[in-house]
Amino acid sequence: MDPQADISIQLPPGKPALSGAGEPVMWISDGTAPDGLWQELRAAHADSGWWPLLLTSMSDEDGDRPWETGELSPPAPGTAADHDVEAVLAKAWSGSTEVDEEYDHLVPEQRLAVTAPHGLTWPGLAPEAPLTADPGECADRSAAWLAQRPDPRLGLVRAASGAEALSVIGWQGAVNHGLDVTAISAVLADWERRFGTRLVMAGFDTLVLSTASVVTDRERAMRVAAEHFALCPDNVWQGTGSLESYAESLIGDETWSFWWD
């Protein structure tokens, strides 16, 4: 696996990242991603076929998890195209509103308040809205901001998009929530279409996307927040504490972050 053969831009030293079965699924840099390189590679993606990712990790005696520890896997049978996004998110919403034992101290009224005004009812997909900027430029700005985090590495995945890249590398960060990686790819692909999102950064159990359809009003923020909650309930249950607070955090933000416990 040598992306340099397809890319005229000089890459830093790196190596293949292997799945648990020992198969090369992506290329990763040995050290920190050089400033501005993600943006160059993103612009070259249409010709090179390699999607860039900024990578964070969990340190382990065997290497950076999951990139060096065999915790990537071949994707489950099927592809993102096999999934109906509305059905995926509706099912995930149902599961996300079931409070587990960690929150069993909450009375029913408190549980319903977390996802108010929707309660237990899936509100449906947020309506598509006009883009507020160029998706590539938004992704470049997000990458410049994310590169300020401690020592992000560079990853390259032979994939048509960031959404597809997750399935190609068999990313397992949301496995505790029973989400198949191809289902997550399907949601991200739909967000690419509806919201101009681009996958910029991935970690052991985190994803960061840019969006070129910035939320500007509370009503739309609540609808978008519902989709985020369905996909990643920990953003609310272990984050803002309520869907309304989470929706407020989306207004005016060009970067969407997700974390699964």
Side-chain angles (χ1 to χ4, degrees):
M1 176 173 285
D2 181 17
Q4 190 69 81
D6 303 314
I7 298 172
S8 59
I9 302 163
Q10 185 60 46
L11 298 175
K15 60 193 173 187
L18 306 180
S19 72
E23 303 165 326
V25 292
M26 66 185 299
W27 177 93
I28 57 174
S29 65
D30 291 334
T32 303
D35 288 344
L37 183 55
W38 190 95
Q39 290 86 338
E40 291 184 68
L41 293 167
R42 194 278 309 163
H45 168 258
D47 294 323
S48 73
W50 291 85
W51 184 260
L53 291 173
L54 293 174
L55 304 175
T56 59
S57 60
M58 292 176 62
S59 295
D60 185 90
E61 61 182 15
D62 295 321
D64 286 349
R65 303 179 65 191
W67 320 115
E68 296 180 323
T69 53
E71 293 176 272
L72 303 171
S73 65
T79 67
D82 296 328
H83 296 278
D84 178 277
V85 171
E86 173 85 44
V88 167
L89 289 177
K91 181 179 179 180
W93 173 275
S94 178
S96 297
T97 52
E98 293 177 359
V99 184
D100 61 28
E101 59 187 23
E102 186 175 355
Y103 303 100
D104 63 6
H105 62 282
L106 298 177
V107 299
E109 291 78 9
Q110 290 174 313
R111 296 182 181 186
L112 291 172
V114 171
T115 50
H118 307 307
L120 301 180
T121 303
W122 164 241
L125 297 179
E128 187 173 347
L131 300 183
T132 55
D134 177 78
E137 293 177 0
C138 291
D140 290 348
R141 285 193 291 271
S142 291
W145 175 66
L146 292 166
Q148 299 174 33
R149 297 189 179 187
D151 304 321
R153 296 169 73 172
L154 175 69
L156 285 167
V157 186
R158 189 182 285 278
S161 67
E164 182 182 288
L166 280 189
S167 287
V168 170
I169 67 176
W171 184 79
Q172 299 297 310
V175 68
N176 286 346
H177 289 272
L179 288 169
D180 175 84
V181 67
T182 59
I184 297 176
S185 287
V187 173
L188 297 195
D190 191 60
W191 286 357
E192 287 176 348
R193 179 185 63 82
R194 284 190 291 138
F195 305 136
T197 63
R198 299 292 184 267
L199 179 60
V200 178
M201 176 176 273
F204 179 79
D205 54 6
T206 59
L207 298 175
V208 186
L209 286 65
S210 62
T211 177
S213 183
V214 174
V215 176
T216 57
D217 64 87
R218 184 181 179 280
E219 181 178 356
R220 182 160 178 265
M222 286 298 297
R223 296 294 297 277
V224 173
E227 293 194 34
H228 286 205
F229 175 79
L231 187 71
C232 183
D234 290 333
N235 273 10
V236 173
W237 282 118
Q238 300 191 52
T240 62
S242 76
L243 195 66
E244 291 183 325
S245 294
Y246 182 75
E248 288 291 332
S249 75
L250 295 179
I251 296 176
D253 200 341
E254 227 176 41
T255 303
W256 294 348
S257 299
F258 302 90
W259 167 69
W260 289 264
D261 190 5

